Amino acid sequence: SQLMTGAPVSLEDFTQNANTSVAVSDLANNVVYFGTWTSPGMIIKVDMTTKLVKHVIKLNANENHIKTLVHDDENGFLYAATFTNPPFIIKIRTADFLRVDSFLASGVKSISSGIYDARRDAVLFATYSSPSMIVQMSTGNFGRFDRSRTLNKGQDNAYSLLYDDSSNMLLVGTFTFPGRVVRVEASDLSVKDEIVIPSLSYASAAALDPVNRRALYGSWEGGKVVEVHLDTFRKGSTIDLAGATHVYDV
């Protein structure tokens, strides 16, 4: 079977037919968007009330392996980026779930993560490269990057990008051993500092907990979740997930 609009959602469907690789929530409309690790990629809109697939967009040829979805809830758009070299960036209007534009980001390596910065009305992406790069695109200037910054030596293979609005800092988690968390000034994309965390073996997942002023990082090896305090930028506690190896999401 194949995923079709109006079809019931099940883990088996996603595992066998979609191979989902990224998800982002639209809380205001109670839907979740999924990107797939397929060739070409697909964007799937799921209604979380009915648990039904509402819409499916199949991307164009060569727009393969969606690793990043960014939801701009201020302007009503979804941005999908491919984990290809160079990557494609596709713009989708969420109101009617229609593809409205796309471009090939020449000179940029595979995009691994991204965020929407409401303060600057911009979308930022991180690249899986050595060293990593952060690129910024204003939402009103689709198809062109306004700013970019190559990170420092050793700050390789960005795999997550978080934004802490209170401190106006970007947090970059690296898929390296040992794992690193790099703080980047959102105002000018300059590198402020970093933490090298020996217990974080390949940071494969990340989440921001602004209420408790912390970020959480999952490891690809060893089944660990590591806490980083946002205000002091210091490592906190480590949780060992008994019997687990890969942490896909936190």
Side-chain angles (χ1 to χ4, degrees), residues 121-191:
D121 193 24
V123 181
L124 294 99
F125 297 103
T127 67
Y128 192 85
S129 55
S130 299
S132 304
M133 177 186 287
I134 307 294
V135 294
Q136 177 180 304
M137 177 181 66
S138 299
T139 60
N141 196 24
F142 185 79
R144 292 185 59 188
F145 294 119
D146 307 306
R147 292 188 298 171
S148 65
R149 176 77 66 175
T150 299
L151 302 189
N152 297 336
K153 182 178 180 180
Q155 296 170 348
D156 306 331
N157 301 339
Y159 212 72
S160 63
L161 183 63
L162 303 175
Y163 175 55
D164 177 28
D165 183 70
S166 294
S167 63
N168 197 31
M169 289 286 177
L170 300 168
L171 300 173
V172 182
T174 68
F175 196 77
T176 57
F177 179 77
R180 299 171 187 250
V181 179
V182 185
R183 271 202 307 190
V184 176
E185 299 271 4
S187 56
D188 61 5
L189 301 187
S190 61
V191 175

Side-chain angles (χ1 to χ4, degrees), residues 97-116:
F97 206 57
L98 287 179
R99 174 186 180 133
V100 295
D101 210 345
S102 65
F103 74 99
L104 182 65
S106 300
V108 175
K109 302 294 185 181
S110 301
I111 290 176
S112 55
S113 54
I115 58 102
Y116 172 68

Side-chain angles (χ1 to χ4, degrees), residues 20-152:
T20 56
S21 50
V22 63
V24 64
S25 299
D26 179 353
L27 298 178
N29 295 299
N30 200 32
V31 298
V32 177
Y33 304 103
F34 294 90
T36 68
W37 194 260
T38 54
S39 299
M42 294 187 295
I43 311 298
I44 303 166
K45 181 179 180 179
V46 175
D47 186 313
M48 295 312 295
T49 299
T50 63
K51 300 297 191 294
L52 296 178
V53 175
K54 297 190 70 174
H55 299 285
V56 178
I57 294 177
K58 185 177 181 180
L59 301 183
N60 297 337
N62 299 320
E63 294 175 347
N64 307 328
H65 302 149
I66 302 300
K67 177 68 176 65
T68 300
L69 289 175
V70 178
H71 180 220
D72 168 12
D73 55 351
E74 294 286 331
N75 301 295
F77 290 101
L78 182 71
Y79 297 90
T82 65
F83 197 74
T84 56
N85 187 12
F88 289 90
I89 298 176
I90 301 99
K91 183 178 182 179
I92 297 166
R93 188 169 53 229
T94 56
D96 49 13
F97 206 57
L98 287 179
R99 174 186 180 133
V100 295
D101 210 345
S102 65
F103 74 99
L104 182 65
S106 300
V108 175
K109 302 294 185 181
S110 301
I111 290 176
S112 55
S113 54
I115 58 102
Y116 172 68
D117 178 358
R119 186 182 298 195
R120 276 160 279 273
D121 193 24
V123 181
L124 294 99
F125 297 103
T127 67
Y128 192 85
S129 55
S130 299
S132 304
M133 177 186 287
I134 307 294
V135 294
Q136 177 180 304
M137 177 181 66
S138 299
T139 60
N141 196 24
F142 185 79
R144 292 185 59 188
F145 294 119
D146 307 306
R147 292 188 298 171
S148 65
R149 176 77 66 175
T150 299
L151 302 189
N152 297 336

